[in-house]
Structure formats: C-alpha cells, structure tokens
Amino acid sequence: MNKIESALANAIEKHNKLPLVIAYSGGVDSQVLLHALASLIEKDVIPPTTCNLITVCHVNHGLSDNAPTWQSFAEDTCFALGLKLIVSKVNIHPKPQQSLEALARDARYKVLQAIYEQSSLIITGHHSDDQAETFMLALKRGSGLKGLSAMASETKQGKDILLRPLLNVSRAEIMAYANKYRLKWVEDESNIDTRYDRNFIRNDVMPLLVKRWPSVVNTINRSSEHCREGQLLLNELAEEDLNCCLIGANSLSVDPLAQLSQARFNNLVRYYLAQNNCLMPSTEQLSQLRQQLAAKNDKNPSVKVGEHYLRRFKGALYLTKAFEEISDWELKVDLLKGSHLIELPDQLGKLNIDEVAINYVDENSQVIVLPNNNDKQKLSIRFSHENPTCLPDFRNHSRHLKKILQELNIPPWQRKRIPFLYLDNRLVAAIGFFICQEFLPEQNLAQDAQPTKNESKHCLKINWHR
C-alpha cells in the first residue's frame, strides 16, 4: 500500500464496525480519497462487512452554475467504482456575521450526519496544506489555542466520528497520486477567487511562505499540534471549574464563577458554550459578562453571544436561546370543539385541551372549570397580561400577577413565555403554574347536585408538552 492508502486503512481499522460516509465533492482531494478507498476494497483490505456499509455523499450547494455538472460527474464516478452514492441538494441562506463558506460547511456536515441513524464514520479528504491554511485563517482572526489547533484527525460530532486520515499527506502528494493513476476531477472556479480569505491564503500567501521557507507547512502544523495539546490542558482545567460552578443543565452558580481569575473565567465560559454548541464569544463580550455578574441584586443583566444569551437571575447564570417576541400572539379556543391540539410559537411546545367530566382527577394535568357558559364568552390563550389581581390555587389572598410570578421564582425572560388562559378578559390560569381559584373543579363541584359533566359548564383538562 502507498502512503495514502495506508493512512486511510489505518483510520478505518480503528472503527471497523461503523458504517462509512465518504464526503465527495469531485475535487482532486476527494477523488484521491475515493480512489484509495476503492483500491482498498479491491485488495480486500476493507472487510466485506464494512463494504456493505459504505455510502458516498455528494452535496449540491447550488452556489455555482457548474453544480449540475459536478453532480453528474459524481454519479458517473461512483457508478464506475460500484459505490453507493447519495446526492443531497441544500439551500444556503446568507446570515450576518457568517461567511458563505462557513454556512456551506455547516449545511454539508448536517447532510453527512443524517445519512445513518446510528453512529457512523464521516471521512473527508483534508490534507496537511488545508491544515496550514486553517491555522493561518485562525491566526488572522486572532483565535486562541482552540482555533489555532486547526483540524483534528479524529473528532466526535454528535453521534458520529469525523475522520481526516490525510492530514499528514501534502497537497503535492495528493497531486502525485492523482497523476500516477490518471484520475479525473472537477475544478471549482471559486477556488481561484481571492476575495475569499482561504483562497487568498492558499494562492497568494502560502506560495510566498513556502518559497522563503520550504518546510513551513510542516512547521505550521507542528505549531498547530502544540496548540491542540495546550487546549486539551485548558479543557481539563475548565472541566474542573465547571464541576464547581454547574448547578443545572443550563445554569452556572455566579459566586464561584466570579471568584475565578479573568483567564480561568474566560476559559470556563468558552468551554461551557462549546459544550452547548454555541458560537464563541469575543474577548469584549467576556469582559462585559464578567462586569454584568457584579451588577446589583435587583438587576437581571444579560449578554448576547451569537444566537444565545447568558442571563443572570438570583445567583445563577443561565444559557438560553435568543427568543422571539411573542407578546402579540393570541389564539381563540372554540369551546364547541371538545379537543384541541395547539402549537405554541417559538418552539414552546404544544397544548392539549380536552373536555372531561367535572369530577375528573389527574395529577399530571391542570383541570379547570368554566362556569356560567354562554355563547358570548370567549376563551383565548395569550402571552401578554395587564397585571391583573388574581387568587392562585396555592395562595390565601389575592395579589397582582407580576408579584405572583416573582413569588414563583420564574426568571424574567420566562415570564414572557407563559401561556395565559383567559375567559374574555378574566385570567383563568397561568398554564403550567397555577389556576385561579374560582375556576378550580372543587369550587364548582360543590355547586353541582351530581358529580358529572354539567351542561352549563365546561370542565377542561390542559397539558403543556414542552
């Protein structure tokens, strides 16, 4: 076996019971990877049980007029090699503060991870020159050790393992292999467009560096490996600090967090966000967050990081997503329909509302009774309120709704995401939290001669599936 085949065989052998997903664009790197794989199959280096679980995946991003041609090339190549091919078309929608390259990469990996429901090996053709370019991009962005670590040869991605078996193979060795076996491949015209940072580094910067220092790619990659080792040590420290600060699945204790040095604070927050698949904060955002933790106790400060927020409340720092504004959302409930399945906005889940007998008991549901029913009364669900005075089932005296929600220790951002049930403009219940006493079954049951469904009243069972 040559160097490329040997590297691929060794990588697969470590995980020989998992199905393989080959990321295949049709470019020279993935073409060499695919040819090497086919060669290993032909030589019986890859066992037959594994051969039956090999899928080649070509992602059509639709970003080039040549995309249909590349797809046809992928189909013809895999047919000739006798390999199973899946083609997936994706739509890339530009987003602020994210490059088109990054969006395309994210879409591509989502497709690759969806090929198998069980764990799989996702194999790409990244090589040592790609690694050096990634390091230079991270250096340009001012990244820390994690960014400068560039790409690992093996990475856990959710249920899958991402393998880059050719990271110790140079672009020159890739080209030599392709020419030796007279391979054909496609050329992405965007690769010469130096408006893209990676192309500028690849086409303009790296040739100058290599001309001056021929072994610079190897030395850059050696530095990248040192950074990776340093990042592993920082991760170990962050894990220790996290164990001291973690108080819930999505919250950290503020007191021990605030006692950390600035460097350890930054390291822990970055690690915690990475564990939750969030974008990394800037140094300025981390500094702002540390200052916000020292705000007065009557304040509930928050700092936005990418598509998430870090919010302080009662001695804890919570990680939440950036919520939609839903205060104007309202839904009328038709009482003539006995059962309702209501989709709440902004991924808040679903409400099940079913009519039951007035003596119905269910500890896992909220059960309410709507007295004096007539056609003019309207039942509705809203997320807004005008701070009415109400008497919840757990209190002996009435109080304003805002104070009651504070009593329940509900964080301020969650108070805006509680579905309130109204009969006309009378508050019936804060769904999931309490029922106003006048709408409790026991209050109404005492008024009925028989403990059955009363024709003049509606008794409703409500379940909130979040």
Side-chain angles (χ1 to χ4, degrees), residues 253-291:
S253 178
V254 168
D255 286 343
L257 189 61
Q259 292 172 15
L260 296 175
S261 68
Q262 182 71 58
R264 285 179 70 165
F265 175 87
N266 292 354
N267 183 52
L268 171 56
V269 173
R270 287 193 180 105
Y271 179 80
Y272 177 63
L273 292 175
Q275 295 294 100
N276 287 278
N277 300 312
C278 302
L279 290 176
M280 287 298 96
S282 65
T283 302
E284 182 181 350
Q285 287 172 319
L286 288 169
S287 177
Q288 181 187 3
L289 176 62
R290 191 171 176 85
Q291 290 176 1

Side-chain angles (χ1 to χ4, degrees), residues 112-400:
L112 295 170
Q113 290 178 291
I115 298 296
Y116 290 99
E117 291 185 2
Q118 72 269 38
S119 298
S120 63
L121 292 181
I122 298 173
I123 304 179
T124 71
H126 293 104
H127 48 71
S128 65
D129 293 71
D130 293 325
Q131 181 80 315
E133 293 163 10
T134 302
F135 180 94
M136 295 297 290
L137 282 169
L139 191 65
K140 184 269 299 183
R141 291 192 294 263
S143 300
L145 289 181
K146 184 174 182 179
L148 295 174
S149 299
M151 297 179 288
S153 59
E154 182 175 317
T155 307
K156 184 73 174 173
Q157 281 197 341
K159 65 178 176 56
D160 303 308
I161 297 174
L162 175 60
L163 291 182
R164 301 181 181 97
L166 306 184
L167 282 185
N168 290 323
V169 177
S170 69
R171 179 177 283 117
E173 289 171 311
I174 294 282
M175 293 303 300
Y177 183 104
N179 290 328
K180 177 181 178 180
Y181 292 100
R182 298 180 181 179
L183 301 184
K184 295 181 180 179
W185 60 88
V186 300
E187 292 284 358
D188 186 342
E189 72 279 0
S190 69
N191 286 338
I192 62 174
D193 187 348
T194 53
R195 291 177 299 175
Y196 297 108
D197 290 341
R198 181 177 288 276
N199 291 342
F200 172 70
I201 290 172
R202 175 181 300 165
N203 298 318
D204 293 355
V205 176
M206 292 305 298
L208 284 175
L209 296 179
V210 171
K211 183 177 181 180
R212 178 66 181 261
W213 302 294
S215 62
V216 70
V217 170
N218 291 334
T219 56
I220 287 176
N221 289 344
R222 189 161 64 244
S223 291
S224 178
E225 186 60 35
H226 294 328
C227 290
R228 185 172 297 108
E229 291 180 358
Q231 184 60 49
L232 289 174
L233 291 175
L234 287 179
N235 288 349
E236 290 180 12
L237 178 61
E239 187 64 36
E240 291 180 8
D241 289 338
L242 184 60
N243 289 334
C244 295
C245 297
L246 194 65
I247 55 176
N250 294 305
S251 59
L252 303 173
S253 178
V254 168
D255 286 343
L257 189 61
Q259 292 172 15
L260 296 175
S261 68
Q262 182 71 58
R264 285 179 70 165
F265 175 87
N266 292 354
N267 183 52
L268 171 56
V269 173
R270 287 193 180 105
Y271 179 80
Y272 177 63
L273 292 175
Q275 295 294 100
N276 287 278
N277 300 312
C278 302
L279 290 176
M280 287 298 96
S282 65
T283 302
E284 182 181 350
Q285 287 172 319
L286 288 169
S287 177
Q288 181 187 3
L289 176 62
R290 191 171 176 85
Q291 290 176 1
Q292 297 287 10
L293 293 184
K296 294 181 179 180
N297 291 334
D298 61 343
K299 304 295 183 183
N300 299 299
S302 63
V303 174
K304 190 174 188 295
V305 180
E307 296 180 352
H308 292 79
Y309 273 89
L310 287 163
R311 309 175 191 262
R312 196 198 72 176
F313 176 68
K314 287 190 177 294
L317 185 67
Y318 293 84
L319 177 65
T320 77
K321 70 173 188 176
F323 301 122
E324 291 180 10
E325 175 57 55
I326 57 175
S327 59
D328 292 333
W329 189 92
E330 182 176 0
L331 182 71
K332 304 291 185 182
V333 179
D334 185 356
L335 287 172
L336 295 179
K337 295 181 179 179
S339 182
H340 302 266
L341 179 60
I342 300 167
E343 185 86 35
L344 296 176
D346 198 23
Q347 300 179 344
L348 276 171
K350 297 179 180 180
L351 288 182
N352 275 105
I353 301 180
D354 298 291
E355 189 154 7
V356 294
I358 198 169
N359 62 337
Y360 180 85
V361 177
D362 184 353
E363 294 181 355
N364 298 316
S365 305
Q366 285 182 297
V367 180
I368 64 167
V369 174
L370 305 178
N372 305 321
N373 178 56
N374 59 61
D375 293 338
K376 293 183 179 179
Q377 289 181 313
K378 302 297 181 183
L379 193 67
S380 63
I381 299 168
R382 312 173 204 164
F383 289 90
S384 60
H385 64 83
E386 297 180 355
N387 197 24
T389 299
C390 55
L391 180 57
D393 45 29
F394 62 87
R395 294 190 100 253
N396 294 323
H397 302 285
S398 300
R399 202 172 187 192
H400 285 297

Side-chain angles (χ1 to χ4, degrees), residues 40-73:
L40 292 176
I41 293 173
E42 185 179 353
K43 295 174 181 178
D44 293 327
V45 175
I46 295 179
T49 53
T50 302
C51 292
N52 295 330
L53 291 172
I54 295 177
T55 301
V56 182
C57 182
H58 176 82
V59 180
N60 184 339
H61 300 90
L63 298 175
S64 169
D65 293 338
N66 294 317
T69 302
W70 301 339
Q71 178 177 323
S72 296
F73 178 83

